Short mmCIF file of all heavy atoms in Angstrom, two decimals:
data_model
loop_
_atom_site.label_atom_id
_atom_site.label_comp_id
_atom_site.label_asym_id
_atom_site.label_seq_id
_atom_site.Cartn_x
_atom_site.Cartn_y
_atom_site.Cartn_z
N PRO F 429 16.89 -14.26 -10.41
CA PRO F 429 16.25 -13.70 -9.20
C PRO F 429 17.21 -12.88 -8.36
O PRO F 429 16.81 -11.88 -7.77
CB PRO F 429 15.76 -14.94 -8.45
CG PRO F 429 16.49 -16.09 -9.03
CD PRO F 429 16.81 -15.73 -10.43
N THR F 430 18.49 -13.27 -8.30
CA THR F 430 19.47 -12.50 -7.52
C THR F 430 19.62 -11.09 -8.06
O THR F 430 19.58 -10.10 -7.30
CB THR F 430 20.84 -13.21 -7.53
OG1 THR F 430 20.70 -14.52 -7.00
CG2 THR F 430 21.85 -12.43 -6.70
N THR F 431 19.80 -10.97 -9.36
CA THR F 431 20.01 -9.65 -9.95
C THR F 431 18.74 -8.81 -9.96
O THR F 431 18.80 -7.59 -9.76
CB THR F 431 20.54 -9.78 -11.39
OG1 THR F 431 19.69 -10.67 -12.14
CG2 THR F 431 21.96 -10.32 -11.40
N ILE F 432 17.59 -9.44 -10.15
CA ILE F 432 16.34 -8.68 -10.17
C ILE F 432 16.02 -8.15 -8.77
O ILE F 432 15.63 -6.99 -8.61
CB ILE F 432 15.18 -9.54 -10.70
CG1 ILE F 432 15.41 -9.92 -12.17
CG2 ILE F 432 13.86 -8.79 -10.55
CD1 ILE F 432 15.53 -8.73 -13.10
N VAL F 433 16.19 -8.99 -7.75
CA VAL F 433 15.96 -8.53 -6.37
C VAL F 433 16.93 -7.39 -6.03
O VAL F 433 16.55 -6.39 -5.41
CB VAL F 433 16.09 -9.68 -5.37
CG1 VAL F 433 16.12 -9.16 -3.93
CG2 VAL F 433 14.94 -10.67 -5.52
N SER F 434 18.18 -7.53 -6.47
CA SER F 434 19.17 -6.47 -6.24
C SER F 434 18.74 -5.18 -6.92
O SER F 434 18.87 -4.08 -6.35
CB SER F 434 20.54 -6.90 -6.77
OG SER F 434 21.00 -8.08 -6.13
N LEU F 435 18.21 -5.29 -8.14
CA LEU F 435 17.74 -4.12 -8.87
C LEU F 435 16.58 -3.45 -8.12
O LEU F 435 16.55 -2.21 -7.97
CB LEU F 435 17.29 -4.52 -10.28
CG LEU F 435 16.71 -3.41 -11.16
CD1 LEU F 435 17.78 -2.40 -11.52
CD2 LEU F 435 16.08 -3.99 -12.42
N VAL F 436 15.65 -4.26 -7.65
CA VAL F 436 14.49 -3.72 -6.93
C VAL F 436 14.95 -3.01 -5.66
O VAL F 436 14.49 -1.90 -5.35
CB VAL F 436 13.51 -4.86 -6.59
CG1 VAL F 436 12.41 -4.36 -5.65
CG2 VAL F 436 12.89 -5.42 -7.87
N LEU F 437 15.84 -3.63 -4.89
CA LEU F 437 16.32 -3.02 -3.65
C LEU F 437 17.10 -1.74 -3.93
O LEU F 437 17.02 -0.77 -3.16
CB LEU F 437 17.20 -4.02 -2.88
CG LEU F 437 16.49 -5.29 -2.39
CD1 LEU F 437 17.47 -6.20 -1.66
CD2 LEU F 437 15.33 -4.93 -1.46
N PHE F 438 17.86 -1.73 -5.02
CA PHE F 438 18.60 -0.52 -5.38
C PHE F 438 17.65 0.64 -5.66
O PHE F 438 17.85 1.76 -5.18
CB PHE F 438 19.49 -0.77 -6.60
CG PHE F 438 20.08 0.49 -7.18
CD1 PHE F 438 21.07 1.18 -6.51
CD2 PHE F 438 19.61 0.99 -8.40
CE1 PHE F 438 21.61 2.35 -7.05
CE2 PHE F 438 20.14 2.16 -8.93
CZ PHE F 438 21.14 2.84 -8.25
N PHE F 439 16.59 0.37 -6.42
CA PHE F 439 15.66 1.44 -6.74
C PHE F 439 14.82 1.84 -5.53
O PHE F 439 14.41 3.00 -5.42
CB PHE F 439 14.78 1.05 -7.93
CG PHE F 439 15.44 1.31 -9.25
CD1 PHE F 439 16.11 0.31 -9.92
CD2 PHE F 439 15.42 2.58 -9.80
CE1 PHE F 439 16.75 0.57 -11.12
CE2 PHE F 439 16.04 2.84 -11.00
CZ PHE F 439 16.72 1.84 -11.67
N ALA F 440 14.58 0.91 -4.62
CA ALA F 440 13.91 1.27 -3.37
C ALA F 440 14.79 2.21 -2.55
O ALA F 440 14.31 3.21 -1.98
CB ALA F 440 13.59 0.02 -2.56
N TRP F 441 16.09 1.90 -2.48
CA TRP F 441 17.04 2.77 -1.78
C TRP F 441 17.11 4.14 -2.45
O TRP F 441 17.09 5.18 -1.78
CB TRP F 441 18.42 2.12 -1.76
CG TRP F 441 19.52 3.04 -1.29
CD1 TRP F 441 19.86 3.32 -0.01
CD2 TRP F 441 20.41 3.81 -2.13
NE1 TRP F 441 20.90 4.22 0.02
CE2 TRP F 441 21.25 4.55 -1.26
CE3 TRP F 441 20.56 3.94 -3.51
CZ2 TRP F 441 22.24 5.40 -1.75
CZ3 TRP F 441 21.54 4.80 -3.99
CH2 TRP F 441 22.37 5.52 -3.11
N LEU F 442 17.17 4.14 -3.77
CA LEU F 442 17.27 5.40 -4.51
C LEU F 442 16.03 6.25 -4.30
O LEU F 442 16.12 7.48 -4.16
CB LEU F 442 17.47 5.10 -6.00
CG LEU F 442 17.76 6.29 -6.92
CD1 LEU F 442 19.05 6.97 -6.51
CD2 LEU F 442 17.82 5.83 -8.37
N ALA F 443 14.86 5.60 -4.26
CA ALA F 443 13.62 6.34 -4.02
C ALA F 443 13.67 7.04 -2.66
O ALA F 443 13.29 8.20 -2.53
CB ALA F 443 12.43 5.38 -4.09
N HIS F 444 14.16 6.32 -1.64
CA HIS F 444 14.24 6.91 -0.31
C HIS F 444 15.21 8.09 -0.28
O HIS F 444 14.93 9.13 0.32
CB HIS F 444 14.69 5.84 0.70
CG HIS F 444 14.90 6.39 2.08
ND1 HIS F 444 13.85 6.67 2.92
CD2 HIS F 444 16.03 6.73 2.76
CE1 HIS F 444 14.32 7.15 4.07
NE2 HIS F 444 15.64 7.20 3.98
N VAL F 445 16.35 7.94 -0.96
CA VAL F 445 17.35 9.01 -1.00
C VAL F 445 16.76 10.28 -1.61
O VAL F 445 17.04 11.40 -1.18
CB VAL F 445 18.59 8.55 -1.79
CG1 VAL F 445 19.52 9.73 -2.08
CG2 VAL F 445 19.34 7.49 -1.01
N LEU F 446 15.90 10.11 -2.61
CA LEU F 446 15.30 11.25 -3.30
C LEU F 446 14.01 11.74 -2.64
O LEU F 446 13.34 12.62 -3.17
CB LEU F 446 15.04 10.89 -4.77
CG LEU F 446 16.29 10.61 -5.60
CD1 LEU F 446 15.91 10.22 -7.01
CD2 LEU F 446 17.20 11.83 -5.62
N GLY F 447 13.67 11.13 -1.50
CA GLY F 447 12.51 11.60 -0.75
C GLY F 447 11.20 10.93 -1.09
O GLY F 447 10.14 11.35 -0.62
#
Side-chain angles (χ1 to χ4, degrees):
T430 302
T431 51
I432 295 300
V433 169
S434 300
L435 178 68
V436 171
L437 296 179
F438 169 71
F439 276 95
W441 169 82
L442 187 62
H444 176 78
V445 168
L446 295 178

